[in-house]
Amino acid sequence: MHATEIFGGYAEQYKKQVLPAEVIHHAKRAVIDWHASLYPGLSTAPLAQLEQVLADDLDRGRARLGNGRAATARAAALFNGTAAHAAEIDDSFRDAMYHPGAATIAAALAASQDSGADGLSFLRALILGYEVSTRIGVAMGRPHYRYWHNTGTIGSFGAAAAAASVLGLGGPSFANALATAATFTAGLQQAFRMDSMSKPLHAGRAAEAGLLAAQLAAHGVKGAPDILDGEAGLGQAMSDGPDWSCIGDTLGSEFHITRLTFKNHIGCGHAFAAIDAAIALREKHGLKAGDIARVLVETYKPALDIACYEKPVSANEARLSMHYVVAAALSRGSVRLAAYEPEQLKDRGVRELMERIEVRVDPEIDAAFPGKRSARVEVLTFTGERLVHVQPDRKGDPELPLSDAELDGKFLELVSPVIGDDPARTMLARLWSLESARSV
């Protein structure tokens, strides 16, 4: 069987599978984190421009934009998927080098609102989207991540699987949805190697593409079953010819959604181990920026490739700057939304400290990527002290997870300024009881 057919067979079985309570709980955590990412993203570029462009698809339809405006399902998927990735706060599944929530949940929500699905169906749909897409991302591996932005490419499969589940697809029709989604996959890393507004659109486009693929499959559109594993398929064209033979081995028994990373900082997740290490050194030794003569950050190569801006001039660049976020962490003890406000971006002390930071690849840390996201930070003070902290995992990784209470705190911190504290608390309570909701 081809990989798409294996997934289609599982999707048929999944309709009758009783999911463990733990899996449902983790799905609700993912939805809460997605909303914590969505609301700050609404005010970032290019959401205002996107809303203008989508005008013909707004104020009609059964789906909703994150700002409450009525929309067609595909417009809502595109807009909300973009917003959920725009502020760089969304979840990740590190083995797939991929932010699954932005596109998968956006598509699942749009399809659920459009069809009147209940809360449990919505949760089951997004779980299936996570399980299918993360396995494709793992199979495609590090060679795919060299040039492609997995959130745009692999995200199409999460969105397609989730939307297909809402639409009741299984077997060949589910496989067709994935096969068509495969021809829609896109998202180049070069889009964020220079200052650009394109990166969050990768997630939005993936949400829209996956939803469209599922809708087409529901109407009988067939895709090539060997689109993933064929000689001119995704694996050959966009990776190094991965082995697909084990793609379905743990489906239904091991749930990837229980091993997500939820961000404890704001910015590029590749920099988070270094941020954690910098904060640990600051707190342990009472460091101030003016005490520091030199900083050496050693980590894995993709972190240097993506968090690449040495002298960022915009908030977008700063979020993707190892130099900036480490300097901000050492100077202030946190890297949250305020770190990207204009006055903090221009902070003279932070800028001067950035000049004293060196970043390089550590071969041992690099060899452990993507399964481990580690960093070593060494600080040399002006008094001659050499201080070192090795951070093997990031706060928010499965080894150091955010508790439910910490996730609630993140949600309220990021959502309350947008919709108000009381509405945010009401929404949070509703999200924790989604499995009982009669509609979304």
Side-chain angles (χ1 to χ4, degrees), residues 360-414:
R360 67 189 185 196
V361 174
D362 178 279
E364 185 175 347
I365 291 175
D366 185 64
F369 177 86
K372 278 280 189 183
R373 307 292 179 92
S374 307
R376 177 184 180 275
V377 175
E378 177 183 304
V379 171
L380 178 66
T381 70
F382 283 112
T383 60
E385 286 185 281
R386 190 175 300 275
L387 310 171
V388 177
H389 184 91
V390 176
Q391 186 72 25
D393 301 292
R394 303 166 296 183
K395 175 66 174 176
D397 277 340
E399 295 81 5
L400 297 171
L402 296 186
S403 67
D404 287 352
E406 288 173 322
L407 187 60
D408 286 352
K410 174 181 176 179
F411 177 93
L412 293 172
E413 175 190 344
L414 297 171

Side-chain angles (χ1 to χ4, degrees), residues 293-323:
R294 189 175 72 89
V295 179
L296 173 63
V297 178
E298 295 180 306
T299 188
Y300 50 91
K301 188 176 186 299
L304 275 63
D305 291 340
I306 295 174
C308 58
Y309 293 95
E310 294 187 17
K311 297 180 179 180
V313 297
S314 67
N316 280 342
E317 289 185 350
R319 290 186 182 98
L320 298 169
S321 170
M322 181 73 76
H323 287 74

Side-chain angles (χ1 to χ4, degrees), residues 73-269:
R74 283 167 54 196
L78 173 57
F79 183 90
N80 292 338
T82 301
H85 190 58
E88 298 284 349
I89 317 173
D90 44 334
D91 68 5
S92 63
F93 186 77
R94 65 185 176 198
D95 290 356
M97 296 154 284
Y98 159 50
H99 298 280
T104 302
I105 295 178
L109 183 60
S112 296
Q113 291 174 334
D114 190 52
S115 63
D118 62 26
L120 182 58
S121 297
F122 164 62
L123 290 171
R124 288 181 61 90
L126 70 91
I127 291 166
L128 185 58
Y130 273 73
E131 300 311 315
V132 169
S133 62
T134 55
R135 283 168 171 80
I136 295 173
V138 170
M140 292 293 284
R142 192 167 174 174
H144 179 65
Y145 196 61
R146 183 179 179 189
Y147 299 116
W148 298 97
H149 182 206
N150 292 25
T151 299
T153 57
I154 308 303
S156 299
F157 298 106
S165 178
V166 173
L167 296 174
L169 306 187
S173 58
F174 187 92
N176 284 329
L178 295 182
T180 297
T183 68
F184 294 162
T185 58
L188 293 166
Q189 287 191 22
Q190 196 64 43
F192 44 89
R193 300 290 177 88
M194 295 185 71
D195 194 24
S196 160
M197 298 180 188
S198 300
K199 184 175 186 283
L201 289 165
H202 294 172
R205 195 71 164 141
E208 180 196 27
L211 175 61
L212 174 61
Q215 291 171 328
L216 291 169
H219 283 79
V221 173
K222 297 175 66 175
D226 61 350
I227 196 71
L228 299 180
D229 44 33
E231 64 180 15
L234 190 83
Q236 293 291 345
M238 297 169 71
S239 185
D240 62 350
D243 180 8
W244 298 96
S245 62
C246 300
I247 195 69
D249 284 1
T250 61
L251 278 169
S253 59
E254 176 185 311
F255 289 88
H256 287 180
I257 201 167
T258 65
R259 295 194 286 111
L260 298 176
T261 294
F262 294 122
K263 288 187 172 183
N264 192 45
H265 312 294
I266 294 176
C268 177

